[in-house]
């Protein structure tokens, strides 16, 4: 966290789910060790009360001096959700998310909420201590299904896509802009990618190959079975890129889907020299994406390498209106 705070990253995505430490406690524990880093922390509709989570967000936002970003995670792993006590099907979870955000936005924005929905009922819901950011900390959200897109258009400030090829991302952004316009809203866009950047193309691709060097067919088949059991449209789109095969992992210029052979969620990486990766980032930025949530393995070493090799090629353009500086966050 100290390294990220000092090297130019705007924020850090804190993972959520049963495989991780609790995101809110982790982010809170890191506040005293950082001064500028923002934390993208998850609220979980169906697992948390909207009023309670708005109160948590307001407290964190005040104690941090406005360094909270809110990640709305509906969830697509049915087995994990069942373990947490949530047994709704896919579209019902997004209905719940819609109701959750209706209450969350009203209360976090300083209002009082009344709702008698299908999944949630509140009367006079409110929080008494306001957030620093107005009207509330920005809401981030990712989801590729029709139900998810409708929720995003109605409530979300920054819509996130996983790292799909340029054409697919452009199509998704176009749909989201149209849906948001129907709600009388405009939204911002972000993308979630791994990065493998080196001084040369050859070194970068060698590093990518080394990540999956010891994967055997059984591990890939087991992951494919696990992904198939999820009811996430985003996961289906990630899996569709590689189809469980090592034979066609390059799915676009400098875009590699090898990570997604066994890792759920974000499964693509930008691979190449700093110059080529910077060019790919500019191409996504030209679509309207200004938030880039990046990660790599091992986290610290790759974060430092990105800051050293890639940042000078992107941040040097901060004075250019035609190439705005992207917001770079670590995931």
């Amino acid at each position: 966290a100290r390294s990220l705070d000092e090297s130019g990253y705007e924020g850090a995505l804190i993972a959520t789910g049963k495989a991780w430490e609790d995101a809110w406690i982790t982010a809170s524990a890191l506040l005293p060790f950082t001064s500028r880093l923002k934390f993208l922390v998850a609220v979980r509709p169906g697992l948390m009360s909207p009023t309670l989570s708005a109160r948590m967000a307001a407290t964190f936002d005040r104690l941090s001096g406005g360094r909270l970003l809110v990640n709305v995670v509906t969830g697509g792993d049915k087995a994990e959700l069942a373990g947490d006590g949530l047994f709704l099907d896919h579209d019902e979870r997004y209905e719940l998310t819609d109701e959750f955000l209706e209450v969350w936005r009203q209360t976090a924005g300083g209002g009082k909420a009344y709702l008698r929905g299908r999944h949630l009922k509140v009367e006079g819901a409110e929080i008494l201590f306001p957030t620093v950011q107005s009207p509330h900390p920005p809401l981030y959200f990712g989801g590729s299904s029709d139900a998810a897109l409708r929720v995003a258009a109605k409530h979300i400030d920054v819509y996130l896509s996983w790292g799909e090829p340029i054409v697919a991302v452009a199509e998704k952004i176009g749909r989201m802009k149209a849906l948001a316009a129907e709600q009388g809203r405009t939204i911002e866009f972000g993308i979630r990618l791994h990065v493998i950047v080196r001084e040369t193309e050859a070194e970068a691709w060698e590093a990518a190959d080394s990540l999956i060097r010891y994967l055997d067919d059984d591990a890939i088949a087991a992951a494919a079975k696990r992904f198939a059991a999820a009811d996430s449209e985003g996961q289906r789109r990630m899996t569709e890129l590689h189809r469980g095969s090592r034979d066609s992992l390059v799915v676009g210029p400098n875009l590699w889907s090898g990570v997604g052979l066994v890792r759920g969620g974000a499964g693509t990486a930008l691979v190449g020299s700093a110059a080529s990766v910077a060019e790919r980032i500019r191409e996504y930025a030209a679509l309207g994406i200004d938030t880039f949530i990046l990660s790599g393995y091992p986290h610290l070493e790759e974060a430092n390498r990105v800051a050293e090799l890639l940042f000078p090629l992107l941040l040097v353009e901060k004075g250019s209106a035609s190439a705005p500086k992207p917001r770079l966050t670590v995931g």
Side-chain angles (χ1 to χ4, degrees), residues 208-225:
D209 291 339
S210 72
L211 282 181
I212 61 172
R213 181 175 299 156
Y214 300 108
L215 287 184
D216 58 28
D217 291 342
D218 289 343
I220 295 173
K225 183 178 180 180

Side-chain angles (χ1 to χ4, degrees), residues 40-253:
L40 182 53
V41 190
V43 296
R44 302 295 305 268
L47 307 184
M48 308 169 73
S49 153
T51 314
L52 175 61
S53 64
R55 193 171 296 123
M56 292 164 61
T59 301
F60 189 104
D61 202 45
R62 288 196 315 279
L63 295 181
S64 68
R67 289 197 280 144
L68 176 65
L69 310 172
V70 177
N71 187 22
V72 181
V73 178
T74 298
D77 185 329
K78 292 184 290 185
E80 181 173 335
L81 291 170
D84 284 331
L86 187 62
F87 294 91
L88 301 179
D89 67 25
H90 178 277
D91 285 3
E92 287 176 325
R93 293 199 303 273
Y94 283 101
E95 290 176 358
L96 169 60
T97 301
D98 180 31
E99 294 179 6
F100 177 99
L101 291 174
E102 194 75 41
V103 176
W104 195 96
R105 291 176 64 205
Q106 288 184 45
T107 55
K112 187 175 290 190
Y114 295 83
L115 178 71
R116 298 188 66 83
R118 180 183 176 192
H119 305 282
L120 292 175
K121 295 180 176 63
V122 298
E123 294 184 4
E126 62 181 334
I127 61 174
L128 302 181
F129 299 93
T131 61
V132 171
Q133 300 178 81
S134 180
H136 51 66
L139 293 168
Y140 289 63
F141 172 91
S144 296
S145 67
D146 290 342
L149 296 180
R150 289 193 297 270
V151 169
K154 185 176 178 181
H155 297 289
I156 298 303
D157 300 302
V158 182
Y159 174 78
L160 300 173
S161 173
W162 283 333
E164 298 179 30
I166 286 285
V167 172
V169 174
E171 187 273 337
K172 193 183 293 184
I173 288 176
R175 289 187 65 196
M176 277 305 314
K177 285 183 175 180
L179 289 170
E182 291 176 4
Q183 297 289 332
R185 304 180 68 240
T186 59
I187 60 178
E188 297 182 7
F189 297 94
I191 196 166
R192 173 80 174 89
L193 286 157
H194 304 286
V195 176
I196 303 172
V197 63
R198 297 292 187 273
E199 293 188 0
T200 69
E201 296 287 319
E203 289 174 311
W205 286 107
E206 182 180 357
D209 291 339
S210 72
L211 282 181
I212 61 172
R213 181 175 299 156
Y214 300 108
L215 287 184
D216 58 28
D217 291 342
D218 289 343
I220 295 173
K225 183 178 180 180
R226 186 172 71 252
F227 299 155
D231 60 357
S232 164
E233 175 65 12
Q235 182 61 68
R236 187 196 67 77
R237 291 167 70 112
M238 283 284 99
T239 304
E240 187 72 15
L241 292 176
H242 57 71
R243 298 178 181 272
S245 170
R246 299 171 182 266
D247 297 333
S248 55
L249 296 179
V250 179
V251 295

Side-chain angles (χ1 to χ4, degrees), residues 276-297:
S276 61
V277 171
E279 183 60 27
R280 300 291 85 77
I281 286 178
R282 293 187 192 101
E283 289 173 355
Y284 283 115
L287 300 179
I289 291 174
D290 60 11
T291 296
F292 292 79
I293 302 178
L294 310 175
S295 59
Y297 304 101

